């Protein structure tokens, strides 16, 4: 794979990278509108992380609920950093999106009257999480995959996208290689969409799938395009102690209570009204504070207990069966009989590739890039601001994925021209692969990754300070240097996971730098970002989106972008 003579060039109207909820929703729209669409994914579509979503998807369906209340909760949960026009679009379209998913065949759980059942989730003033037991993501992903398949989408699965074709303000495709045999190709298209999901694998304790390595973020950043609000990483309060595997918020939604080693229901101190259903940032900090002050449980005293034993066992068996299995499998703890150990786990990324409300990628806070779209967790349309409410992101992925699809159809109908790609457009990818395969140093990918992850959890995690962040920034700089000196053992062209993991580590190192840099310059605490040295929110200086840019030497600079405020003026949050 050292030269470009065997690069094949495919041509499509639209190319979508990622086959989770966002990618498939867009692909279905495009294909149904008669647009030739390729979906490229490094995994089989049904293995996308969307399929792991457990707890639910929000829509104001309850008799006492309203879309305006859903908007308010989302904006308040975001610590007022969400763009309120995008939030309004999401919340008003949510009920219709649930019906759309249901008509595609997603089998939601029902209440006694036969309506779609809804359950309470953290930070929401009414129950509004629709669910399919505790396998919501899988139910919706399967339904949309079947329907997209039926519509005729073309899927290139087990293909790895390594670069974006971007010149003169226009995106015209991607370069990728087939993971099975390393065959390189160019996917030339009139419009391109990134829907590559989350990136919490950068942290040691995380709830994410192995594939969630945030490749597209650094692919975009390497072209000088910005990333937005990267400092905002959500730590979910209930990862299984030790592994970080997720125990959905549904466990608290159904009535789970948190206790420390002294048997105190400690949320009375931190959020006396909302208690266990305060928003995730608040509960995560409360758990970590208990642990720090020596009231943790478990072998290393790094966890707290969640207790569901007071619930009717039928609730656990019918609404949380998967969670029970996970706790038994990973920890040998049966939630029917005993409390289980949990602690905060890196879970979700609020920041990402900045987009307009119509999912067009931004070149800076004001201009967009022609032909380029993004949606789902890799993007930042900013419906979550500084903190996402539970069950809002499956909604975001599905709804904005579909919205991106509709907007791409519109763009194609307006007659956007194909900018022809050439084989040379694969050179950057081929060079990256050659460099990794021939590098003959003494550093190991797994060791560098472990160092990065440990540092991110410890120094850029739930609690952050100037000192901890500066240490992590210089650690990442050192790791970036050491990365140049790696060696992989597998030099073959067949399912070369050594190669793929090395490429992915490069991405993780680069976008992690954005997380730490953003956390350092944001000298305030807002939502999921908590600076011990600046514990208060500072609207005067920081009611702004961070737009950060990287140069060829991995130096980062930034500018600020405006927050869209329409109905809800920023207020202090109380619990
Ligand atoms: C354990 C867990 C539970 C969750 N539970 C909930 C919940 O109950 N409710 C809720 O609202 N949210 C939940 N979330 C969050 C939510 O599931 C995700 O934010 C959402 O599903 C993301 O969808 P997506 O389409 O953006 O990305 P994903 O579903 O992650 O898909 C990403 C796609 O990109 C592809 N890809 C990535 N990089 C490349 C590359 N370089 N080349 C080719 N392909 C690539 C992958 O193969 C994959 O197909 C949960 C998340 C986790 C981890």
């Amino acid at each position: 794979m050292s030269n470009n003579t065997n690069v094949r060039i495919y041509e499509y109207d639209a190319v979508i990278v990622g086959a989770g909820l966002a990618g498939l929703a867009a692909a279905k729209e495009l294909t149904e509108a008669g647009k030739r669409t390729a979906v490229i994914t490094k995994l089989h579509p049904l293995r996308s992380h969307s399929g792991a979503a457990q707890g639910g998807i929000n829509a104001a369906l309850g008799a006492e609920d309203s879309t305006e209340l859903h908007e308010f909760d989302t904006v308040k949960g975001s610590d007022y950093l969400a763009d309120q026009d995008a939030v309004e679009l999401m919340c008003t379209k949510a009920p219709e999106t649930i019906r759309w998913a249901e008509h595609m065949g997603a089998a939601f759980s029902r209440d006694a009257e036969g309506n779609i059942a809804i359950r309470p989730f953290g930070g929401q003033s009414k129950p509004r999480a629709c669910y399919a037991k505790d396998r919501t993501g899988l139910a919706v992903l399967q339904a949309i995959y079947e329907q997209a398949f039926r519509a005729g989408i073309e899927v290139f699965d087990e293909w790895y996208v390594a670069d974006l074709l971007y010149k003169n303000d226009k995106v015209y495709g991607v370069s990728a290689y087939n993971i099975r045999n390393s065959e390189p190709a160019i996917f030339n298209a009139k419009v391109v969409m990134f829907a590559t999901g989350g990136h919490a694998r950068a942290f040691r304790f995380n709830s994410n799938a192995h594939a969630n390595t945030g490749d597209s973020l650094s692919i975009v950043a390497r072209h000088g395009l910005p990333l937005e609000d990267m400092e905002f990483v959500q730590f979910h309060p209930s990862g299984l102690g030790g592994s970080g595997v997720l125990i959905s918020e549904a466990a608290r939604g159904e009535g789970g209570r948190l206790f420390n080693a002294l048997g105190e229901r400690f949320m009375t101190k931190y959020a006396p009204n909302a208690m266990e259903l305060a928003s995730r940032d608040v509960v995560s900090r409360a758990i970590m504070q208990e642990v720090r002050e020596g009231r943790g449980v478990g072998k290393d005293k790094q966890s707290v207990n969640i207790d569901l034993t007071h619930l009717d066992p039928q609730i656990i068996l019918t609404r949380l069966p998967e969670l029970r299995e996970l706790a038994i499998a990973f920890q040998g703890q049966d939630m029917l009989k005993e409390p289980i150990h949990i602690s905060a786990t890196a879970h979700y990324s609020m920041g990402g590739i900045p987009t307009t409300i119509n999912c067009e990628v931004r070149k800076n806070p004001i201009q967009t890039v022609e032909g380029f779209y993004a949606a789902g967790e890799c993007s930042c349309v900013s419906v979550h601001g500084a903190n996402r409410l539970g069950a809002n992101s499956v909604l975001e992925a599905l709804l904005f994925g579909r919205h991106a699809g509709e907007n791409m159809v519109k763009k194609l109908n307006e007659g956007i021209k194909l900018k022809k790609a050439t084989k040379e457009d694969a050179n950057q990818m081929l060079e990256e692969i050659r460099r990794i395969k021939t590098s003959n140093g003494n550093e190991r990918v797994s060791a560098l990754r472990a160092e990065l992850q440990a540092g991110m959890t410890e120094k850029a995690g739930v609690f952050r300070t100037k000192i901890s962040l500066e240490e992590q920034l210089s650690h990442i700089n050192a790791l970036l240097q050491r990365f140049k000196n790696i060696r992989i053992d597998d030099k073959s062209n067949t399912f070369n996971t050594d190669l793929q993991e090395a490429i992915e580590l490069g991405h993780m190192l680069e976008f992690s730098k954005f997380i730490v840099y953003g956390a350092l310059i944001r000298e305030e605490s807002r939502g999921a970002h908590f600076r011990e040295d600046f514990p208060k929110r500072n609207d005067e200086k920081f009611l702004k989106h961070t737009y950060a840019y990287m140069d060829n030497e991995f130096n980062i600079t930034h500018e600020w972008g405006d927050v869209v405020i329409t109905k809800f003026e920023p207020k202090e949050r109380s619990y």
Side-chain angles (χ1 to χ4, degrees):
M1 243 214 269
S2 54
N3 64 48
N4 61 33
T5 49
N6 58 346
V7 174
R8 180 159 173 194
I9 300 183
Y10 294 91
E11 271 181 26
Y12 283 92
D13 291 321
V15 160
I16 293 172
V17 184
L21 288 173
L24 289 177
K28 181 174 180 294
E29 289 302 315
L30 282 153
T31 310
E32 282 176 350
K35 310 300 175 198
R36 284 198 65 225
T37 304
V39 178
I40 312 175
T41 164
K42 62 182 179 180
L43 304 168
H44 184 273
L46 293 179
R47 297 187 74 91
S48 301
H49 192 63
S50 290
Q54 300 167 342
I57 169 167
N58 283 331
L61 298 181
E64 295 179 356
D65 204 357
S66 72
T67 55
E68 180 141 338
L69 208 48
H70 186 186
E71 280 173 52
F72 173 71
D73 289 342
T74 302
V75 171
K76 179 183 170 201
S78 82
D79 226 346
Y80 293 90
L81 196 73
D83 285 338
Q84 296 183 14
D85 54 349
V87 172
E88 182 175 346
L89 176 73
M90 179 174 84
C91 298
T92 48
K93 279 193 158 187
E96 180 210 324
T97 304
I98 298 292
R99 276 176 219 116
W100 183 65
E102 197 194 17
H103 290 164
M104 280 192 292
F108 290 107
S109 296
R110 301 276 159 179
D111 63 16
E113 280 82 51
N115 299 315
I116 290 178
I118 41 178
R119 65 177 153 214
F121 248 60
Q124 323 251 17
S125 44
K126 302 283 173 208
R128 65 169 73 97
C130 311
Y131 57 95
K133 292 192 175 173
D134 52 0
R135 301 178 197 121
T136 313
L138 193 59
V140 182
L141 187 67
Q142 278 173 338
I144 193 166
Y145 177 60
E146 282 169 12
Q147 296 306 321
F149 201 73
R150 186 166 158 228
I153 57 164
E154 287 180 57
V155 179
F156 290 78
D157 63 340
E158 296 190 327
W159 277 76
Y160 188 90
V161 171
D163 195 18
L164 178 73
L165 311 192
Y166 173 57
K167 260 188 217 135
N168 304 331
D169 286 343
K170 189 174 164 68
V171 164
Y172 55 104
V174 296
S175 60
Y177 70 89
N178 187 338
I179 297 169
R180 292 175 189 82
N181 56 15
S182 297
E183 171 197 332
I186 290 286
F187 291 82
N188 190 190
K190 296 174 187 164
V191 290
V192 172
M193 172 186 175
F194 275 7
T196 54
H199 55 268
R201 289 303 295 185
F203 291 81
R204 174 159 173 231
F205 290 111
N206 70 78
S207 68
N208 277 204
H210 281 271
N212 287 12
T213 50
D215 313 335
S216 71
L217 300 171
S218 31
I219 289 177
V220 164
R222 285 173 190 176
H223 287 275
L225 293 170
L227 298 178
E228 183 179 358
D229 291 344
M230 287 293 286
E231 59 273 32
F232 296 106
V233 176
Q234 176 168 87
F235 298 89
H236 193 294
S238 52
L240 286 176
S243 67
V245 168
L246 193 74
I247 290 297
S248 164
E249 190 160 308
R252 281 173 291 126
E254 297 292 355
R257 296 171 182 164
L258 300 179
F259 293 96
N260 63 19
L262 306 177
E264 294 163 340
R265 197 167 167 202
F266 57 86
M267 285 311 296
T268 49
K269 275 188 289 190
Y270 302 93
N273 298 319
M275 295 290 286
E276 281 83 0
L277 286 180
S279 64
R280 290 178 177 175
D281 55 323
V282 175
V283 184
S284 290
R285 280 196 295 279
I287 291 173
M288 296 305 283
Q289 195 60 28
E290 291 299 304
V291 166
R292 279 169 142 198
E293 291 173 10
R295 293 184 293 276
V297 303
K299 248 194 268 150
D300 50 8
K301 309 263 181 276
Q302 293 295 311
S303 307
V304 297
N305 279 321
I306 181 164
D307 188 6
L308 294 102
T309 54
H310 59 287
L311 297 180
D312 177 349
Q314 277 313 309
I315 293 185
I316 295 176
L317 293 171
T318 58
R319 296 189 207 161
L320 309 171
E322 201 91 334
L323 301 191
R324 178 175 170 239
E325 291 295 323
L326 283 173
I328 293 173
F330 282 89
Q331 269 173 201
Q333 293 179 313
D334 184 350
M335 58 172 70
L336 282 174
K337 302 186 189 132
E338 62 195 319
I340 58 174
H341 297 167
I342 54 158
S343 63
T345 183
H347 179 56
Y348 182 83
S349 316
M350 273 72 74
I353 303 167
T355 74
T356 65
I357 191 170
N358 290 328
C359 310
E360 302 143 306
V361 172
R362 291 182 196 267
K363 192 180 160 197
N364 53 43
I366 295 156
Q367 291 166 298
T368 58
V369 180
E370 195 185 21
F372 194 22
Y373 296 77
E377 193 170 335
C378 72
S379 72
C380 183
V381 64
S382 203
V383 282
H384 310 302
N387 177 50
R388 163 176 81 85
L389 291 188
N392 259 357
S393 76
V394 165
L395 173 65
E396 180 211 355
L398 198 59
L399 192 151
F400 281 97
R402 189 181 174 203
H403 188 56
E406 289 165 350
N407 284 307
M408 285 187 277
V409 169
K410 226 186 271 168
K411 189 81 190 169
L412 289 166
N413 286 343
E414 283 166 17
I416 183 174
K417 282 222 178 69
L418 181 77
K419 176 178 160 64
K420 285 270 184 187
T422 65
K423 291 184 176 186
E424 281 70 49
D425 285 315
N427 285 355
Q428 190 140 326
M429 168 179 77
L430 296 174
E431 172 54 23
E432 181 177 16
I433 293 169
R434 189 202 59 76
R435 204 174 54 237
I436 289 172
K437 276 191 169 176
T438 54
S439 171
N440 213 6
N442 52 10
E443 297 285 358
R444 290 302 186 166
V445 168
S446 56
L448 296 186
R449 188 175 52 219
E451 277 193 42
L452 170 75
Q453 291 171 322
M456 291 302 284
T457 289
E458 204 183 306
K459 303 205 159 114
V462 174
F463 295 108
R464 300 161 166 181
T465 64
K466 183 170 192 282
I467 294 171
S468 75
L469 291 164
E470 279 175 351
E471 281 173 3
Q472 184 58 8
L473 202 57
S474 43
H475 192 184
I476 294 177
N477 286 335
L479 290 171
L480 280 163
Q481 288 308 317
R482 287 166 60 193
F483 180 64
K484 292 184 182 156
N485 201 23
I486 55 165
R487 187 176 82 245
I488 62 170
D489 292 328
D490 188 352
K491 311 280 184 191
S492 80
N493 284 337
T494 311
F495 278 108
N496 192 337
T497 48
D498 268 14
L499 169 69
Q500 187 178 332
E501 286 185 18
I503 298 176
E504 288 171 343
L505 174 62
H507 294 306
M508 287 161 80
L509 289 168
E510 289 172 35
F511 75 70
S512 293
K513 202 166 165 185
F514 281 82
I515 297 175
V516 179
Y517 178 92
L520 198 53
I521 57 165
R522 189 173 281 278
E523 294 184 327
E524 64 158 356
S525 291
R526 183 186 296 271
H529 167 66
F530 191 79
R531 285 281 300 260
E532 290 187 87
D533 40 357
F534 296 96
K536 290 252 171 317
R537 196 176 85 195
N538 180 347
D539 285 344
E540 216 171 286
K541 270 181 96 173
F542 295 111
L543 186 59
K544 294 274 180 213
H545 294 298
T546 315
Y547 277 71
Y549 305 80
M550 182 175 78
D551 70 13
N552 290 338
E553 262 80 58
F554 311 119
N555 298 309
I556 301 189
T557 52
H558 72 278
E559 64 180 317
W560 301 105
D562 288 338
V563 178
V564 180
I565 295 173
T566 54
K567 296 182 190 164
F568 311 108
E569 282 301 320
K571 285 209 190 89
E572 280 293 317
R573 291 197 301 169
S574 60
Y575 295 94

